[in-house]
Amino acid sequence: MSLKVLLLGDYSNCHRTLATGLRRLGCEVTQASDGSSWMGVDRQIDIRRKPGRLNGLMYFMRWMTGDLRQLAKGYDVVAIHDLNFIHLRPERLRPLLRRIKRENGSLFLTAMSTDKAYLDMVAPPSSPLRYSEWFIGNEKSPYNLGNPGGWEQWHSPELQKYHSEALAMLDGAVSVLYEYHLGIERALGKEKVAYGGIPIDTSLFEPVELKPKTPVKLFLGRDRYRKLMKGSDLLEQAALRVKGAELDIVENLPFNEFVGRLRSADIVLDQIYSYTPATTALMAMAYGLPTVSGGEPEFYDFIGETANRPIINAPIELEALTATLQQAVDSPEALIERGRQSREFVIKHNDCEVVAKRFLDFWTSRL
């Protein structure tokens, strides 16, 4: 079924790549975002706002009565990337989201970010996760401890009230990660939620040819402002301990430049507090590169993958993480095989047309 779709907002090229897959399936897609801030992700329509209260008011009016109102009306499906889908306060977002829902066929969330549903799910003691960026068991994580007031800020009455109201407006949600799926399913119920996965345009990633070499190049690409959140501080410490390896750290590169730099790696270090591989890991895997990231059994079971489990699952303790990296560096033939399996994994589970078909099937079922 061909749909007219607006993908509103983006993180790490997710909606941009989803748009590619949907167009290949015959949909008419408009994709608008702010480019994911410093990443400078490609977008069809740029919806950045200028800083300042007056500019915020003018931006709000553009959405309510001006050119951006015309952009966001008349679609079969509008999918927002976040309940805070543009940079406005909750009291501005609330009437805007109501208008978008009223002037389009349906409203969906692409669950790819922190929100009330996710935070409620990770909070102990009832969380199904053993660890997250916020908690390890019942204890606060390094990120939580190192970000005083962060948890409370997310739980301000104003924001919580808006998120509850926004969730109630949705016709459904499609998750891109296992963890986000658990959260949004708990909030909306199984009927209103489906798993899509992170889309990767595998046709753009020419496989690299891995060969045994010394030293092995460990590549750590990260957001310098989210080291504790992703555990890249521990990945750096562990990597520096590994014998027979060199570490290349890349911080806050524009997205398209970063994608090119990935090719230079022998092993890509992604993150440690996730059960699942996210965008950087999946792009590396599409190149055929062995990747250290989230690869927990719960994730593989969730997507129904029993045979090909190529991700080097990252422990969350420094000593175990160091040992895992050292074993990988000391096993060049196994790395080459992991690289081959990694590309097969992404083609099967995350190619943009595969993911777009999941989104399309679910949206159609909820229209």
Side-chain angles (χ1 to χ4, degrees), residues 210-229:
L210 290 175
K211 296 179 180 179
K213 58 178 268 193
T214 302
V216 174
K217 184 175 181 180
L218 305 177
F219 180 96
L220 175 57
R222 66 188 182 189
D223 183 340
R224 67 172 61 97
Y225 307 110
R226 301 201 295 172
K227 295 178 185 178
L228 290 176
M229 184 178 186

Side-chain angles (χ1 to χ4, degrees), residues 18-37:
L18 178 61
T20 297
L22 290 169
R23 291 185 185 116
R24 289 177 184 172
L25 297 179
C27 293
E28 179 185 345
V29 184
T30 300
Q31 191 261 324
S33 81
D34 66 358
S36 294
S37 185

Side-chain angles (χ1 to χ4, degrees), residues 159-346:
L159 186 60
Q160 289 282 296
K161 183 174 186 292
Y162 163 65
H163 276 199
S164 293
E165 294 173 351
L167 288 167
M169 291 186 220
L170 298 174
D171 294 296
V174 185
S175 63
V176 303
L177 290 179
Y178 167 68
E179 293 95 325
Y180 293 136
H181 189 91
L182 295 180
I184 199 64
E185 185 178 79
R186 179 181 285 191
L188 298 182
K190 289 187 176 182
E191 284 190 5
K192 295 183 72 173
V193 176
Y195 173 72
I198 293 176
I200 303 294
D201 186 353
T202 56
S203 68
L204 300 179
F205 293 82
E206 183 178 352
V208 300
E209 183 180 357
L210 290 175
K211 296 179 180 179
K213 58 178 268 193
T214 302
V216 174
K217 184 175 181 180
L218 305 177
F219 180 96
L220 175 57
R222 66 188 182 189
D223 183 340
R224 67 172 61 97
Y225 307 110
R226 301 201 295 172
K227 295 178 185 178
L228 290 176
M229 184 178 186
K230 299 297 184 180
S232 58
D233 58 326
L234 282 182
L235 280 166
E236 179 181 359
Q237 291 177 51
L240 291 173
R241 293 180 171 191
V242 174
K243 298 176 182 178
E246 62 180 11
L247 177 61
D248 181 20
I249 298 177
V250 174
E251 292 186 343
N252 293 67
L253 276 185
F255 184 82
N256 290 335
E257 185 178 347
F258 176 75
V259 172
R261 286 286 295 274
L262 271 178
R263 287 185 60 88
S264 67
D266 296 314
I267 303 174
V268 172
L269 312 181
D270 180 33
Q271 58 183 322
I272 70 172
Y273 296 120
S274 173
Y275 276 48
T276 57
T279 303
T280 294
L282 291 169
M283 291 190 303
M285 293 167 70
Y287 275 134
L289 294 170
T291 304
V292 179
S293 187
E296 293 286 2
E298 292 93 332
F299 161 64
Y300 289 119
D301 292 344
F302 174 69
I303 63 172
E305 179 57 69
T306 59
N308 185 13
R309 299 187 170 193
I311 302 154
I312 302 171
N313 192 30
I316 62 174
E317 300 86 13
L318 179 59
E319 295 301 327
L321 182 60
T322 303
T324 295
L325 297 185
Q326 188 67 65
Q327 182 180 17
V329 167
D330 291 341
S331 309
E333 296 301 329
L335 286 179
I336 293 170
E337 179 61 14
R338 278 189 187 273
R340 183 190 66 77
Q341 293 172 341
S342 292
R343 180 166 172 83
E344 290 180 357
F345 180 95
V346 175

